[in-house]
Amino acid sequence: MDFSRKLLSTLTGGQTPAAERGAEDAKAFSDESLSALRLSISNPNISTSAMKENMLRLIYGEMMGQDVQFGVIYALKLAQSGQTDLTSSNFHYVVVALVTLCNMTLKDVVPSMVGHVLSALSHTHESVRKRALIALKNFYMRDADLIAPYLDQIKKSLYDSEPSVMSAALGLFAVVVHQHHASQMKDLVPVLVKILQQVVDGRLPKGYSYHGTAAPWIQIRCLQIMAQLGQQDLSASRSMTPAIMGAFHKARQGVDAAFAVLFEIIRTLNTFHPAIILELCQFVDVAQNPLLIIPKFATSSNQNLKYLGISMLCQVQPSAWSDTWWSQDLLAAVVQALESRDATVQRRALDLLYRMLTADNSENIIDRLVYAFFQEQDVSADHYRYLQEGDGQEHSLPLDRISSPSSSSTSSPLSLSGTTTTTTTTTEGHVPTRKEKILGQILDAAERFGRSEEWYLDLIFDLLERGGRVVTMQTAEKVMRVFERGARSTAFNTTHLRVLAVQKTMHLLAQREYLFSCSRDTGSSQPTLAYVTLWLLGEYGDDADDWKLSTVMETLARCLLINHDPLIQTFILSALTKAALRSAPNGVPKNVTGVVRAYLLDHPVSCTLSARVQSRQPYPSSVDIQLRAHEFLMIAELAS
Amino acid sequence: MINFILVFNRQGKIRLSRWYQYMTDKQKASVSQDIVTQILARKRGMCNILELEGRREARGKAIYKRYASLFFCFGIDWNDNELSGLEVLHKYVECLDQYFGNVNELDIIYNYSAAYQVMDEMLLGGHAQETNKKIVVKHCKGFDKLEESDSIVHNLRASNIA
């Protein structure tokens, strides 16, 4: 490419004496070549190779940041020949056309092209057939239903004599099985077994073996499809296991790519029906127990293999962990990985630890998780605004609505918003970051394996306070649920938990002089702590023996006076109302009602548009607060 | 599947890039910048796998390997086999080597279209479609010959007219 060579030589030549002149020269050169390009490109009698040269110059100009809009129309004209090329007799053209189809992202073009591509499936030249399959895979990913009726026809390609075509067909089916119903593809099982056996036996042409392993990529693709097919199905798993063990034996002797195959084998075996792996893990001999390979990976000095070893450990279900293959070395290797300076390996080891949680080692592991949590960098605010906006609307209104005075546990704060499961939630396809994931893990683990309520409360309060933006309303709800329903840990007594929580809150409030954070926009998570603690006071304030309900209510009133954040005030008022419901014999202290009345007088209902805009809430907060305050006053009167 | 391919040098200049997922130009620029800085910060003994997160668009892992002055990086899905990706990477470099004959960074800079051609022969739609080195190189050279013969024919025609 003389063009770029000239350009580069002017750039490098100009650097020694005067850099600015070099840049100017380069610019002059590129300007002049651009005008030359303009002339030559509009020449109708141009040959294709010269046209290609022009296209390349266009791309180069684009990379250099010049204005090449004039060339776009010529590029488009060239690209349009795609459709005719598909039916061309010269196979090279067909190949190029198919390649463009593969890279294309337009959905509308697909239906018109499908017919041509299907006919290309039976082309004489193998590279055409191969690309046709990949184009079909591409189409399938865009629009599955379009290709579904042709799948039987495509299955014939699996029997193709050319290995690369077969491999491409495997790729297509990998996508099909992954995205859709594995049950429909069960008839693939015998084919896959046969293919795997053929590859492992070395019946493919010599060119396909890579560093001693026979066609590793074909093997891996087979294994991936098998994993999906055998997932719940015991009989299918059994029929595929012998072939896989054959591949395992071969792979054990190899290097490099063989390790990749081994990894895939372990993954496949673990995705199968659990009975298979449980049976296999009992054997002591490495020839029969594939899990014995894992220590070799994890204790290796090669960091990549270490990473894979720990990944493999993560995949094996805990019930299959037997002493036959879990050795001291393995344990030492895992501990070493935790301390590793390599962030990737460290994270994996942490994931593994999470799976190893039992009641005994929970505190230790959770400490590590907490440490990792605070180490992680927080992602930008937009990420969490996505979460808040989606749920904020639903939360504000039904929060703490009183249901009935008798039962203290029915007023659950959330009914409308997305239900939280024990794992991290995904709302509208939201992908949890690592920090969120760790937070979810900590909360989950602490609840299930916590040893003492005090420790749990300390942990939660600490997280809520220092957690940063990750601690959202959803986190607060998860915590509230634990108090409401009781933790799953056997060491926790729910009533005791609540009592301790209330005690802790009162201490905290006294320490801080009833002041929570100043504003919500700083991104600190102190508000979340506020919400949870206020809710606690409201729900369980009367359970504590140390304080009378009236003291609790006075505390709440003091909070109301000091905190000006609307949402916090909402929480305070709801808590007051709940407490008032339970204060039947003694009634609400006069000073508390006095405070609320004074508050109402100070903040008259002025729901003008400007006030709403200023407060930046999604709902008219002043009206909501007024409402709750009035409710409280009414109930206070009834109670006394 | 492979979501993108990046080839860059030690100064962080991107020499080749190929995206198998749809992303706007701005997203591509920010994702590639992000990955380049992360990979350049890694030390020698660390493993060749990087976990990408935070951005919705570029979820998954990045595997990379350094060959002389160039870093080759593939972005793969979360559940993909990392070692097999590394082997595909190595295979690609081997193909480049055979096509150019002892490839170095300058070859890739001057003949980037050929490098992309080899890439397309080997990888398509995010998967390795041809792992036989001989066939890949044979096809690429076949295309070159086609071009040459085309231009010869054209020149002959042009000279006849003139």
Side-chain angles (χ1 to χ4, degrees), chain A residues 70-91:
Chain A
F70 66 90
V72 172
I73 183 87
Y74 298 101
L76 278 176
K77 255 203 307 189
L78 284 179
Q80 249 186 351
S81 56
Q83 193 133 16
T84 46
D85 279 342
L86 254 187
T87 44
S88 151
S89 48
N90 190 339
F91 82 93

Side-chain angles (χ1 to χ4, degrees), chain B residues 38-53:
Chain B
Q38 276 189 39
I39 291 184
L40 286 175
R42 282 173 83 77
K43 301 203 190 51
R44 206 167 255 268
M46 296 186 165
C47 76
N48 299 32
I49 305 168
L50 201 69
E51 292 180 2
L52 306 169
E53 49 202 56

Side-chain angles (χ1 to χ4, degrees), chain A residues 1 4-5 8 45-49 52 56 59-60 63 90 92 95-96 99 102-103 126-127 130-131 134 137 141 164 207-208 210-211 217 220-221 256-257 259-260 263-264 267 303-305 307-308 341-342 344-345 347-348 383 386 431-434, chain B residues 1 18 20 22 42-43 45-51 53-54 56 59 61 78-84 86-88 90-91 94 109-113 117 120-121 124-133 135 139 142-144 146-147 150-151 154-155:
Chain A
M1 270 219 59
S4 48
R5 230 167 273 208
L8 264 147
N45 284 341
I46 205 163
S47 77
T48 41
S49 67
K52 177 184 167 192
L56 281 175
I59 298 178
Y60 216 86
M63 287 200 300
N90 190 339
H92 281 287
V95 161
V96 170
V99 169
C102 291
N103 289 332
E126 47 94 14
S127 88
K130 186 174 52 171
R131 274 159 236 255
I134 299 188
K137 177 193 82 127
M141 288 203 304
S164 47
Y208 284 97
Y210 179 75
H211 293 180
W217 293 283
I220 291 178
R221 271 197 199 157
D256 288 347
F259 292 143
F263 179 74
E264 201 60 48
R267 187 154 59 180
Q303 291 285 50
N304 287 340
L305 293 179
Y307 175 83
L308 283 181
R341 276 180 311 145
D342 190 344
T344 324
V345 177
R347 282 185 194 172
R348 269 294 142 152
H383 188 86
Y386 183 59
V431 170
T433 64
R434 183 150 179 92
Chain B
M1 66 174 257
R18 175 67 103 205
Y20 292 105
Y22 177 68
R42 282 173 83 77
K43 301 203 190 51
M46 296 186 165
C47 76
N48 299 32
I49 305 168
L50 201 69
E51 292 180 2
E53 49 202 56
R56 248 170 291 155
R59 279 277 295 173
K61 302 188 188 154
W78 198 261
N79 289 324
D80 275 351
N81 191 333
E82 297 92 354
L83 265 192
S84 104
L86 278 172
E87 300 300 330
V88 174
H90 188 72
K91 197 71 177 186
E94 273 184 12
I109 298 177
Y110 289 144
N111 302 308
Y112 60 88
S113 55
Q117 176 134 35
D120 280 334
E121 273 298 321
L124 200 54
H127 290 277
Q129 58 132 340
E130 181 58 70
T131 49
N132 196 334
K133 202 166 42 170
I135 296 186
H139 280 180
F143 268 113
D144 289 342
L146 189 70
E147 240 179 76
D150 210 28
S151 71
H154 181 92
N155 286 339

